[in-house]
Amino acid sequence: MERIGTQSIQLVISIVLARLLSPNDFGLIALVMIIIAIADVFVQSGLGTALIQKKDIDDDDFSSVFWASLLIATIIYLVIFFTAPCIANFYGKPDLIAVIRVLTLSLFLGAFGSVQNAYIARNMLFKKLFYRGMVAMLPSGILGIALAYQGFGVWALVFQQLANAFLSVATLWFAIPWKPHLKFSFAKLSVLFSFGWKLLVSSLINNVYEKLRALIIGKMFSAADLAFFDRGDHFPRLIVNNINSSISSVLLPSLSVYQDNRPQMKKFMRRAISTSSFLITPMMAGLAVLAHPLIQILLGEAWLPCVPFVQACCFTYAFYPIHTTNLTAINAVGRSDLFLKLEIIKSSYGLAILIVFFLYFRTPIGIAYGAMCSAVISSVVNAFPNKKQIDYGYLEQIRDIMPSIVLSAFMVLGMHLFAKITMPLILSFVLQIILGIILYLGLAKIFHVESLNYAIKTLKELKKK
């Protein structure tokens, strides 16, 4: 509910902002977010996951991580502040200097928020996230829209993001009992860091590799091209984050509790993969089919170049249930060393694929195709260790998600054939969505797909509560 509620509000806000601002404004923000995403890896330091995974923990652990994260955020911010002119010159955009220095203030809020989120996950207080999302997203969105309407351009996006981060942290300050204390323990921090440093390096490798695509587009092509790439990624990522992140947020603490009970871990993993695939696969398939009318209706003709990016990213994100579930299981059993090895392997061949596809296509879409290829290979790589650790290999995982793939294929076929009927754009768009839902759920009901039965059972239990 928290993910869907906040992301739905964010979707509406982003649509309005896309109508008020230019692709170039969004491209400039995307450039800065590359830097912030990489810097945030150092601030998080893998310690948030360590707080969730550790069996025995107390308030000194949380406070020590908070002060360490805040110190790291200060150091990183000062480095970025003084190197902002060099970064702007690298992109050939001197007007980025002030934007970088202001937006990077979000690192301090991220340091605070990471510990709050770890406390929530550790104690299963996910209702608090619902309140936080509702309180933070709407006011910050209204602020961004008002500033965009008044002609503030890229600064409307800057202040919207800062306001959202501040309100998120401020809301949780009052919503959860944990508050940072003037306590710091090197001993406790070293124990957490012994697990977390591998995740830090893993996350750094992954982020640099992932952001390298945007960096190349931002450097070799225009800011508008980067905006099209970023917007194309935005819609499928929005859907996947709603579902996949919700499941994985609960999965890590759940698996950590049963890390010594491998049969129970396998049961949780199968449930997570089959359920998330049952939801994500048809949504990615349907979004790929409807990408053109969706962009035309919501964002307008000026944003149509992002359609092929939407379709490519839909294919890439369809593999995320396998990625996320397997990697979460590896973290839950405390194998951050294995997690690091996997990231090194994936980034190595991923970089090679990126170079090959970029040199062959020499267009931004070629980079997106490279990501599609990497996603297929990485699904095998991420699943490989859990064959030995939990007796849940890749082929068995594919069998568990195969019903979702087959049903999605029939759904896409039906939607594609229906699209050939001539009718107004919006009417065709709405009817295709309805038809897709009916086909997918109808076939799932006819063939007694277990994930549908589980979803219905869960909804009934929620209704009783």
Side-chain angles (χ1 to χ4, degrees):
M1 288 175 65
E2 184 268 332
R3 295 286 180 179
I4 293 173
T6 56
Q7 296 298 326
S8 297
I9 295 172
Q10 183 182 347
L11 176 61
V12 174
I13 292 168
S14 66
I15 291 170
V16 176
L17 288 172
R19 293 280 185 173
L20 294 172
L21 302 173
S22 69
N24 187 68
D25 292 327
F26 281 90
L28 291 175
I29 287 295
L31 289 173
V32 180
M33 292 308 297
I34 296 172
I35 303 160
I36 293 177
I38 295 174
D40 197 51
V41 172
F42 292 97
V43 176
Q44 304 290 340
S45 309
L47 296 176
T49 303
L51 286 171
I52 300 172
Q53 192 275 338
K54 188 181 178 185
K55 291 183 179 180
D56 300 311
I57 203 165
D58 58 29
D59 191 65
D60 287 357
D61 291 281
F62 283 97
S63 293
S64 298
V65 170
F66 170 74
W67 295 115
S69 298
L70 198 61
L71 175 61
I72 295 170
T74 302
I75 295 171
I76 297 296
Y77 177 77
L78 291 174
V79 171
I80 294 177
F81 183 91
F82 289 110
T83 59
C86 299
I87 297 170
N89 289 334
F90 173 79
Y91 287 121
K93 301 183 184 301
D95 51 339
L96 272 183
I97 296 175
V99 176
I100 292 171
R101 287 173 171 173
V102 174
L103 193 54
T104 310
L105 289 169
S106 61
L107 291 176
F108 295 102
L109 299 169
F112 208 138
S114 65
V115 181
Q116 291 177 323
N117 289 331
Y119 182 91
I120 285 172
R122 176 87 185 186
N123 295 281
M124 294 285 193
L125 302 174
F126 294 107
K127 186 183 293 186
K128 306 297 184 183
L129 292 180
F130 176 78
Y131 299 142
R132 178 203 68 178
M134 294 297 104
V135 170
M137 187 62 66
L138 192 56
S140 62
I142 293 173
L143 173 65
I145 292 171
L147 291 175
Y149 185 76
Q150 292 297 322
F152 279 78
V154 69
W155 287 102
L157 298 172
V158 172
F159 289 118
Q160 184 229 339
Q161 295 201 29
L162 284 176
N164 182 59
F166 173 77
L167 290 172
S168 296
V169 169
T171 303
L172 290 185
W173 176 270
F174 295 102
I176 64 176
W178 177 83
K179 302 292 186 296
H181 300 288
L182 293 176
K183 298 178 181 179
F184 187 86
S185 170
F186 279 105
K188 288 182 176 294
L189 191 66
S190 63
V191 172
L192 293 166
F193 193 70
S194 65
F195 174 84
W197 78 265
K198 304 180 189 73
L199 296 182
L200 185 154
V201 177
S202 301
S203 184
L204 182 62
I205 292 172
N206 180 65
N207 267 274
V208 171
Y209 166 65
E210 293 289 339
K211 301 304 178 184
L212 189 60
R213 303 185 186 110
L215 191 150
I216 291 174
I217 294 174
K219 177 64 177 176
M220 303 299 295
F221 303 96
S222 68
D225 287 322
L226 179 56
F228 295 139
F229 175 83
D230 186 64
R231 286 293 95 180
D233 176 74
H234 177 76
F235 286 101
R237 185 178 71 241
L238 200 65
I239 295 173
V240 170
N241 282 347
N242 284 338
I243 300 168
N244 205 42
S245 298
S246 302
I247 293 175
S248 63
S249 295
V250 181
L251 187 62
L252 177 59
S254 299
L255 290 177
S256 297
V257 170
Y258 291 98
Q259 58 187 278
D260 297 322
N261 185 343
R262 299 307 165 89
Q264 187 66 31
M265 286 190 70
K266 180 178 179 179
K267 179 181 178 181
F268 281 167
M269 283 185 67
R270 293 191 68 177
R271 173 65 65 202
I273 283 183
S274 59
T275 302
S276 55
S277 293
F278 181 76
L279 298 171
I280 287 174
T281 304
M283 290 185 176
M284 292 298 97
L287 180 57
V289 174
L290 297 172
H292 190 283
L294 175 71
I295 298 300
Q296 188 172 352
I297 293 169
L298 295 184
L299 304 184
E301 299 281 344
W303 288 91
L304 283 178
C306 74
V307 169
F309 294 112
V310 173
Q311 294 169 333
C313 290
C314 283
F315 182 88
T316 300
Y317 280 113
F319 288 88
Y320 265 53
I322 294 178
H323 299 324
T324 304
T325 305
N326 282 286
L327 293 175
T328 301
I330 291 171
N331 277 336
V333 297
R335 292 299 308 274
S336 57
D337 58 324
L338 183 56
F339 192 102
L340 175 57
K341 290 176 184 177
L342 290 178
E343 289 302 326
I344 294 173
I345 293 170
K346 290 184 293 184
S347 297
S348 298
Y349 67 72
L351 181 60
I353 291 172
L354 173 62
I355 294 172
V356 170
F357 274 75
F358 175 69
L359 292 177
Y360 180 78
F361 287 94
R362 294 190 179 276
T363 60
I365 193 61
I367 296 175
Y369 292 155
M372 292 169 57
C373 180
S374 295
V376 176
I377 300 172
S378 295
S379 67
V380 181
V381 173
N382 286 331
F384 182 78
N386 286 319
K387 172 64 177 176
K388 180 179 180 180
Q389 286 199 130
I390 306 175
D391 191 30
Y392 190 36
Y394 185 71
L395 292 179
E396 190 173 357
Q397 293 176 25
I398 291 296
R399 284 198 297 270
D400 286 338
I401 68 173
M402 187 56 65
S404 301
I405 296 174
V406 174
L407 294 180
S408 296
F410 280 106
M411 180 196 75
V412 166
L413 178 61
M415 293 172 67
H416 181 72
L417 292 175
F418 184 84
K420 295 182 179 298
I421 302 174
T422 303
M423 62 179 67
L425 180 65
I426 296 180
L427 179 61
S428 176
F429 176 75
V430 172
L431 291 178
Q432 282 186 77
I433 293 176
I434 296 173
L435 175 64
I437 294 172
I438 292 174
L439 280 174
Y440 187 78
L441 295 181
L443 290 172
K445 185 69 175 178
I446 291 171
F447 291 102
H448 304 288
V449 175
E450 197 274 337
S451 292
L452 176 62
N453 296 331
Y454 173 74
I456 293 173
K457 178 183 176 183
T458 302
L459 289 174
K460 288 181 178 179
E461 291 175 354
L462 285 174
K463 185 177 180 181
K464 289 179 182 178
K465 292 181 181 180

